[in-house]
Amino acid sequence: MTDRTRPTGPGTEPAAGTEPATGTPPVAGTPPAAATDPAAGTPSQTLVSGTTRLYAVLGDPVGQVRSPGLLNPLFARLGIDAVLVPVHVRPDDLETVLRGLTRVGNLDGLFVTVPHKTAAARLADRRSPTVELTGSANALRPEPDGTWLADNFDGSGFVAGLVQAGHRPKGAKAALIGAGGAGSAIAAALLGAGVDRLTLTDPDTPRLTALADRLAAHWPGRVHAAARPPLSDCDIAVNATPLGLRPDDPLPFPPRQLPPGAVVADIIMKPHDTRLLREAAAHGLAVHHGHHMLAGQLDSYRAFFGLDRP
């Protein structure tokens, strides 16, 4: 993916201007005015024009993605003439679509969601240390030399959201179900945040073993792979699988087996209250919703994509 040199980034676009008088076209090269929420009186989303920079989030499905609702208002608030759109890409088409998008001259970044995070990491020209460790990526940006750099903020965002909600991982015994793209990043971040023991579970045994081995090389004695999570002796249990996206999905684990005081976290963002979280709450357990992980990544995205540059 080395087919272009990065154009002027979104942070160098002029601030969103004032809507011209009716019938007067905007001056060429200036971004259009932002749409305004009448109730709040603040910009809700920048309107699209010929100068708009593009970002895309790739997934299969994409109906559940929440990043456009978080990033597009941010672009408007910062006066950045850019828009983030969802792109539905099936796994067999990912390489073709990804390589095609990197040829788009006004594309300044990509977000990646289920199930493409591992494949996106392999397709990137360069990988951050986090991506090298976890084998997954959720954000890619073009570099000045035309290459594309992959990074992953799922883990740091999850831990930030967990801490902000008052659930501190340091010294905890954690069970993580799902060793895929998001799960691998969350596993590394939980270990980095000081969990005393992390048990990983995934039906894909080779993937599970490979991740446990990579993590154990950095955090020896604290990582364990298991066919079933030790829920009865667990402080934090995390669902990092897609189970819960559909109403007829089975539970990723039975929350009733957790001890009182345990926290049940689900990274699924839509529906807001998954079946897992509803049943955990019914058993009197603390629950942690998926939107916290995305909100916890916002500052990292701003830094990675240079959204605060004047």
Side-chain angles (χ1 to χ4, degrees):
M1 301 194 318
T2 58
D3 300 299
R4 70 163 186 146
T5 299
R6 188 183 189 191
T8 302
T12 61
E13 295 289 341
T18 304
E19 185 70 24
T22 303
T24 304
V27 178
T30 61
T36 299
D37 180 351
T42 56
S44 59
Q45 182 172 333
T46 300
L47 301 178
V48 176
S49 77
T51 62
T52 300
R53 310 299 301 180
L54 300 179
Y55 292 80
V57 52
L58 313 181
D60 179 29
V62 291
Q64 82 288 355
V65 299
R66 296 297 179 93
S67 48
L70 187 68
L71 271 295
N72 286 325
L74 174 66
F75 292 148
R77 193 163 63 249
L78 297 177
I80 296 173
D81 184 14
V83 63
L84 170 63
V85 297
V87 178
H88 188 186
V89 184
R90 292 177 175 83
D92 289 347
D93 299 323
L94 178 65
E95 182 172 1
T96 299
V97 172
L98 191 62
R99 294 195 185 284
L101 285 173
T102 61
R103 300 288 298 273
V104 175
N106 62 335
L107 184 83
D108 285 336
L110 293 169
F111 297 83
V112 185
T113 189
V114 64
H116 301 316
K117 295 180 181 182
T118 300
R122 291 196 303 266
L123 292 169
D125 301 308
R126 297 167 53 196
R127 286 161 282 275
S128 72
T130 298
V131 174
E132 293 286 3
L133 174 62
T134 64
S136 69
N138 77 337
L140 294 89
R141 75 180 183 203
E143 297 291 272
D145 63 358
T147 61
W148 280 73
L149 171 67
D151 211 330
N152 195 323
F153 306 110
D154 279 333
S156 59
F158 177 82
V159 168
L162 202 64
V163 171
Q164 289 166 7
H167 310 304
R168 298 196 174 274
K170 186 173 178 61
K173 290 172 285 189
L176 178 66
I177 293 79
S184 60
I186 292 170
L190 284 171
L191 289 163
V195 295
D196 186 61
R197 185 194 71 199
L198 177 65
T199 304
L200 303 172
T201 304
D202 193 283
D204 187 332
T205 302
R207 178 170 71 177
L208 173 64
T209 302
L211 176 61
D213 289 346
R214 291 198 305 272
L215 296 174
H218 290 265
W219 294 282
R222 293 164 57 193
V223 184
H224 307 273
R228 294 184 179 180
L231 297 178
S232 62
D233 184 29
C234 179
D235 303 308
I236 303 171
V238 184
N239 174 39
T241 78
L243 294 176
L245 282 172
R246 293 171 291 272
D248 57 347
D249 281 343
L251 288 172
F253 58 86
R256 66 180 181 278
Q257 295 182 7
L258 289 158
V263 178
V264 176
D266 201 328
I267 69 168
I268 290 175
M269 298 177 198
K270 186 179 181 182
H272 177 71
D273 287 300
T274 60
R275 179 187 168 197
L276 173 67
L277 295 184
R278 294 197 307 270
E279 294 203 11
H283 283 86
L285 301 172
V287 298
H288 187 73
H289 293 86
H291 70 87
H292 293 290
M293 183 176 77
L294 179 59
Q297 298 180 64
L298 188 57
D299 287 343
S300 297
Y301 287 146
R302 290 176 68 164
F304 183 68
F305 290 113
L307 299 180
D308 292 325
R309 288 197 303 266

